[in-house]
Amino acid sequence: MKNYQVVGIGNAVVDVISQSDDSFLDLMGIQKGIMQLVERERGEMLYAAMTNRKQAPGGSVANTLAGLGGLGLTTAFIGRVQDDALGQFYAQQMRAGGTDFPNAPVSGGDLPTSRSMIFVSPDGERSMNTYLGVSSEVGPDDVPADVAGQASILFLEGYLYDKPQGKEAFETAARLCREGGGKAGIALSDPFCVDRHRDDFRRLTQNLDYVIGNEHEWKSLYQTDDLGFALETAASESGLIVCTRSGHGVVLVQGDEQVVVPVTEIVPVDATGAGDQFAAGFLYGMATGQSLEVSGKMGCIAAAEVISHYGARPEQNVKTLFQEAGLL
């Protein structure tokens, strides 16, 4: 019996969320609707400019793990925080949410805990400005063998590939998981991340058990405008691929089986975390032995819940939503 149904590894980032309008974004030189990495000085300036701040533990894969923990799975998140106020807040909040956080906050060094300044527009678009801080220093020494090696499913964050030691952490965790009989997969994270690491991600698509991405990420991976071609190529190289298409049906392909799960389009209050919670719903289905179609539907329900309110983590009981939809 495995200790953990799902273990994630990624950036441990405190989300700082503020509402703003388009003129504020223009004034601050913030590109709307995307995630940008910022240096420390700009991060501090943007933080100071935020009004009505709301703080929550975040990071893409960490949000997914929090969703899975809320669904009752045994989960752990491998990440790195500084021993400062935000780092202590992060570790405490992850554990309070039911997800093990095996890495003690680190002391020393001059990099603070990572934070992402998220400006939410009236139309629900979020513009993320992330200062990576100490989370980008995560390395193989941060991967406990008794955590990664005891995972039935390992979920890896593509952003980690931006640093060599992150890449090593990632590959160490995947090796330990698969040696222990678990399945390892990755979220492609964003099209720019794919552009930066295309060769590595192509190799991972061929070597990991599952890959989750959106249509822009899949097109970027295969350098094509033809999504059908990209998915066909990916399916020939990987065990299981998942493609979300904002507002359109989700495509899931495993071997000869292809499923398209329709989505109900809703106007988002805040699109933060939609992809993260889709992954939570999908991985919950995978971890509990559901079919591709049911797993995809679970992902869509979890994503729809999180975009109906501010913040990147569920507020309703998502398992109840699954039951209401006849999936459990």
Side-chain angles (χ1 to χ4, degrees), residues 29-270:
I30 295 168
Q31 198 171 339
K32 183 175 177 177
I34 68 161
M35 195 286 285
Q36 285 184 302
L37 295 177
V38 297
E39 296 301 324
R40 187 171 183 169
E41 192 177 326
R42 177 158 172 81
E44 287 171 353
M45 184 270 286
L46 290 174
Y47 184 83
M50 298 180 99
T51 55
N52 55 48
R53 290 188 202 110
K54 188 177 168 187
Q55 220 165 258
S60 177
V61 164
N63 289 336
T64 298
L65 269 290
L68 286 162
L71 283 162
L73 297 194
T74 52
T75 56
F77 176 67
I78 298 166
R80 192 172 174 88
V81 295
Q82 178 61 268
D83 191 11
D84 53 19
L86 280 182
Q88 290 158 8
F89 165 79
Y90 191 96
Q92 185 271 326
Q93 289 288 305
M94 286 299 284
R95 292 181 185 125
T99 293
D100 280 0
F101 189 67
N103 305 85
V106 296
S107 49
D110 61 352
L111 290 176
T113 295
S114 310
R115 73 282 317 259
S116 182
M117 280 63 68
I118 303 172
F119 298 90
V120 183
S121 314
D123 60 2
E125 278 286 348
R126 85 271 197 231
S127 309
M128 302 169 72
N129 299 263
T130 303
Y131 168 62
L132 281 180
V134 78
S135 79
S136 65
E137 299 293 302
V138 68
D141 292 346
D142 296 306
V143 179
D146 59 348
V147 176
Q150 285 294 322
S152 292
I153 295 173
L154 180 72
F155 190 40
L156 304 158
E157 185 175 301
Y159 288 128
L160 280 190
Y161 258 65
D162 279 329
K163 286 279 186 84
Q165 68 267 36
K167 202 170 176 176
E168 286 177 46
F170 198 107
E171 297 188 347
T172 298
R175 177 179 53 76
L176 289 166
C177 170
R178 297 183 89 192
E179 283 175 358
K183 291 184 174 179
I186 185 175
L188 293 176
S189 293
D190 81 9
F192 303 110
C193 189
V194 174
D195 285 342
R196 292 192 293 271
H197 306 291
R198 185 173 288 108
D199 290 345
D200 281 325
F201 283 173
R202 285 288 300 269
R203 181 173 54 79
L204 286 168
T205 302
Q206 293 165 27
N207 291 319
L208 293 178
D209 299 294
Y210 65 93
V211 183
I212 301 174
N214 65 34
E215 58 187 316
H216 307 297
E217 292 155 5
W218 284 114
K219 286 177 182 176
S220 170
L221 187 63
Y222 293 101
Q223 294 176 287
T224 179
D225 290 327
D226 183 342
L227 181 63
F229 168 78
L231 296 184
E232 197 176 307
T233 309
S236 71
E237 295 180 346
S238 181
L240 167 60
I241 65 157
V242 181
C243 176
T244 58
R245 302 179 297 163
S246 189
H248 299 285
V250 176
V251 182
L252 305 99
V253 188
Q254 187 169 29
D256 294 333
E257 184 183 3
Q258 177 168 326
V259 173
V260 179
V261 176
V263 299
T264 306
E265 200 164 353
I266 58 174
V267 177
V269 171
D270 171 13

